[in-house]
């Protein structure tokens, strides 16, 4: 099997310029005519959106906690088919993992993929001292192959010269400080790719200030990865699953969508803020920013269509933003907005984080889209809270995470479930949803 050229762009810490450099590297490689397959370590949705816009290929998450090591390798190999090079953007600092361990860290993923690491180091306010940082990172876990460095935020030629006087690891780039190439942030992270294309503009900076030929050579000097078993052809189920996809609902793991397609679903994208509900057999409402589009969601007749479909027994699976949309009302700083009115609860935006981190969930309640006794892992990140009716029914018990009320998640009504957890679908989950959709269609 031909080795997949690959490189992991890691940082010493959050805020060192890792996202900017990784995105710029993707853009520079794409500008040279290479097919670049992007990846993001961890559960984040926003950075992959920027990657996809830059590369023209869907970025994928690589998260050992949610996917397992075999799942990381499988997603990487399948997604990299036909690519000339794969670029993996890390998360936080190189060695920052779950609960202070190596698990799900950038280093963990680099070791799973047997990929070289290009370390981004913020040189602002330091000169020779940066080499102590580099040597510490390179020696902390020799199994994570820190192959070279890109020094970021170089202030002047003299600043570069002071650093260059001492050697540590090979240097692949000297990137000057650029205050004009900064992506705006909001409460869930960076602005979405559709709102700004500024990261792609960093490609020219990387081409000018980094040794792209040597970086390509580094990415190509890798061993092959194990081959994957053949995937069976998709069954012709003829089941239509509606997927809310617009500025309000934009957080989906690509593997989940492809899992539904492999299970036989035709995915039908629509905008709850602008469209009527299409002719579908089930709904998947992902996360996003319903609070920023509350007026449009409240004004759209789609919420009435969805309420009637739920009353009719249609299976509906909703995560985070989708959960909020299915409640009776959403209270924001701009007022009180009626939502779909499916779940017996009211959502309220707050000024601080209400839930952040990995989730482990076990299905304890009845909902056709959740197999009883099954378990899955995922992630939550929300600034809202949900006030439920006293007789609200929950489908999920959390072994880890906050969920809706500190230990439970997954409000369930008829064939609908809405949860804060962004789940990475385990084996069989997509099939269960498609089977529930098929049963609804037959009925």
């Amino acid at each position: 099997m031909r080795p997949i050229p690959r490189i992991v762009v890691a940082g010493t810490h959050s805020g060192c310029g890792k996202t900017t450099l990784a995105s710029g590297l993707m853009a520079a490689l794409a500008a040279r005519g290479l097919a670049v397959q992007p990846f993001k370590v961890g559960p984040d949705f926003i950075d992959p959106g920027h990657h996809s816009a830059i590369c023209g290929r869907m970025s994928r998450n690589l998260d050992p906690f949610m996917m397992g090591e075999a799942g990381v390798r499988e997603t990487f190999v399948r997604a990299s088919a036909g690519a000339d090079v794969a670029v993996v953007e890390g998360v936080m600092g190189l060695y920052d993992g779950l609960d202070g361990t190596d698990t799900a860290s950038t280093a963990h993923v680099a070791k799973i993929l047997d990929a070289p690491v290009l370390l981004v180091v913020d040189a602002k306010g330091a000169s020779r001292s940066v080499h102590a940082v580099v040597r510490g990172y390179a020696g902390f876990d020799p199994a994570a192959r820190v192959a070279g460095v890109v020094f970021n935020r170089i202030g002047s030629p003299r600043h570069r010269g002071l650093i260059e006087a001492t050697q540590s690891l090979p240097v692949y780039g000297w990137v000057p400080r650029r205050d004009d190439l900064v992506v705006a942030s909001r409460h869930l992270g960076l602005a979405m790719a559709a709102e700004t294309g500024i990261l792609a503009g960093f490609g020219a900076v990387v081409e000018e200030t980094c040794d792209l030929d040597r970086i390509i050579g580094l990415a190509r000097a890798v061993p092959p990865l194990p081959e994957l078993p053949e995937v069976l052809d998709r069954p012709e189920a003829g089941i239509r699953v509606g997927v809310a996809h617009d500025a309000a609902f934009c957080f989906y793991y690509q593997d989940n969508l492809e899992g539904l397609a492999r299970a036989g679903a035709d995915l039908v994208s629509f905008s709850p803020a602008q469209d009527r509900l299409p002719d579908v057999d089930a709904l998947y409402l992902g996360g996003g920013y319903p609070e920023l589009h509350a007026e449009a969601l409240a004004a759209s007749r789609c919420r009435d269509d969805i309420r009637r479909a739920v009353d009719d027994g249609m299976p509906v699976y909703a995560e985070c933003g989708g959960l909020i949309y299915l409640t009776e009302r959403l209270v924001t700083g701009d007022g009180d907005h009626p939502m779909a009115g499916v779940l017996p609860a009211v959502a309220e935006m707050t000024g601080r984080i209400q839930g952040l981190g990995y989730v482990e969930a076990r299905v304890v309640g009845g909902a056709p889209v959740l197999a009883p006794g099954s378990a899955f892992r995922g992630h939550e990140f929300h600034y809202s809270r949900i006030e439920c009716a006293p007789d609200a029914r929950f489908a999920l018990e959390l072994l880890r995470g906050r969920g809706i009320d500190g230990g439970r998640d997954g409000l369930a009504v008829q064939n609908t479930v809405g949860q804060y957890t962004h789940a990475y679908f385990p084996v069989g989950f997509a099939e269960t949803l498609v089977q529930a959709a098929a049963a609804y269609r037959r009925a």
Side-chain angles (χ1 to χ4, degrees):
M1 180 179 179
R2 179 183 70 88
I4 301 169
R6 55 194 182 272
I7 194 162
V8 174
V9 180
T12 54
H13 60 281
S14 294
C16 69
K18 170 182 71 264
T19 295
T20 307
L21 266 296
S23 299
L25 177 59
M26 294 172 190
L29 293 171
R32 287 197 174 189
L34 297 177
V36 182
Q37 176 56 49
F39 296 93
K40 171 67 179 180
V41 176
D44 176 63
F45 291 104
I46 297 177
D47 289 345
H50 289 280
H51 299 167
S52 300
I54 290 168
C55 299
R57 294 173 66 107
M58 291 301 297
S59 183
R60 312 299 181 100
N61 295 81
L62 300 175
D63 191 305
F65 175 81
M66 296 195 302
M67 308 164 71
E69 293 189 356
V72 168
R73 280 189 291 268
E74 179 176 350
T75 289
F76 179 83
V77 172
R78 292 200 192 285
S80 297
D84 297 312
V85 62
V87 178
V88 181
E89 180 192 339
V91 62
M92 300 176 65
L94 174 59
Y95 297 110
D96 296 325
L98 178 67
D99 294 337
T101 70
D102 180 57
T103 300
S105 68
T106 303
H108 188 190
V109 171
K111 288 183 286 188
I112 293 170
L113 300 179
D114 200 358
V117 174
L118 193 62
L119 185 67
V120 178
V121 177
D122 185 353
K124 181 182 178 182
S127 57
R128 186 169 182 260
S129 295
V130 298
H131 295 289
V133 174
V134 171
R135 288 175 179 173
Y137 273 82
F140 183 75
D141 181 358
R145 296 189 292 119
V146 182
V149 186
V150 171
F151 288 113
N152 191 28
R153 297 192 178 105
I154 298 296
S156 66
R158 172 169 168 74
H159 186 199
R160 171 175 173 171
L162 292 173
I163 296 173
E164 231 171 349
T166 301
Q167 295 295 317
S168 49
L169 291 182
V171 179
Y172 288 82
W174 304 87
V175 181
R177 179 176 175 175
R178 289 289 300 267
D179 293 332
D180 57 325
L181 293 177
V182 177
V183 183
S185 297
R186 62 163 66 100
H187 56 276
L188 295 184
L190 299 178
M192 297 298 291
E195 301 167 315
T196 175
I198 199 167
L199 282 176
F202 212 78
V205 177
V206 169
E207 177 71 58
E208 178 183 351
T209 62
C210 296
D211 193 334
L212 210 56
D213 290 331
R214 288 176 61 221
I215 293 175
I216 294 172
L218 183 62
R220 288 174 174 169
V222 293
L225 293 172
E227 294 191 26
L228 300 178
E230 184 178 355
V231 176
L232 298 177
D233 291 338
R234 157 186 152 164
E236 294 298 329
I239 300 301
R240 292 164 58 88
V241 175
V243 180
H245 214 155
D246 58 12
F249 304 99
C250 46
F251 292 167
Y252 295 93
Y253 294 127
Q254 184 64 22
D255 282 357
N256 287 354
L257 298 176
E258 293 189 2
L260 289 170
R262 285 196 300 271
D266 294 319
L267 303 184
V268 181
S269 295
F270 72 103
S271 169
Q274 300 179 10
D275 303 327
R276 300 296 297 270
L277 180 66
D279 179 18
V280 294
D281 306 303
L283 285 179
Y284 181 11
L285 306 174
Y289 297 101
E291 68 277 12
L292 300 182
H293 306 275
E295 290 188 7
L297 290 171
S300 174
R301 295 176 63 187
C302 190
R303 64 189 182 92
D304 299 320
D305 296 340
I306 290 176
R307 185 168 59 251
R308 285 192 293 269
V310 169
D311 290 340
D312 191 44
M314 177 182 287
V316 179
Y317 174 72
E319 297 177 332
C320 203
L323 160 68
I324 290 173
Y325 179 58
L326 293 181
T327 63
E328 296 168 355
R329 307 192 316 278
L330 169 59
V331 180
T332 70
D334 298 326
D336 194 324
H337 309 276
M339 293 287 104
V342 170
L343 300 175
V346 174
E348 180 183 5
M349 299 305 301
T350 70
R352 61 186 181 87
I353 293 175
Q354 299 294 319
L356 171 62
Y358 285 117
V359 174
E360 291 184 77
R362 183 169 65 92
V363 179
V364 295
V369 297
L370 299 174
S374 62
F376 57 78
R377 290 179 168 186
H379 190 266
E380 62 179 339
F381 185 12
H382 54 94
Y383 280 72
S384 63
R385 62 177 172 225
I386 303 289
E387 293 293 332
C388 302
D391 60 348
R393 183 165 58 92
F394 294 88
L396 301 176
E397 177 185 65
L398 299 188
L399 309 177
R400 179 189 183 92
R402 176 171 176 77
I404 291 174
D405 73 348
R408 297 181 296 178
D409 205 359
L411 275 175
V413 170
Q414 298 193 80
N415 295 337
T416 293
V417 62
Q419 61 199 46
Y420 267 129
T421 302
H422 295 279
Y424 186 86
F425 291 176
V427 174
F429 188 95
E431 288 77 6
T432 298
L433 179 56
V434 172
Q435 289 166 9
Y440 169 74
R441 182 174 182 177
R442 288 193 300 269

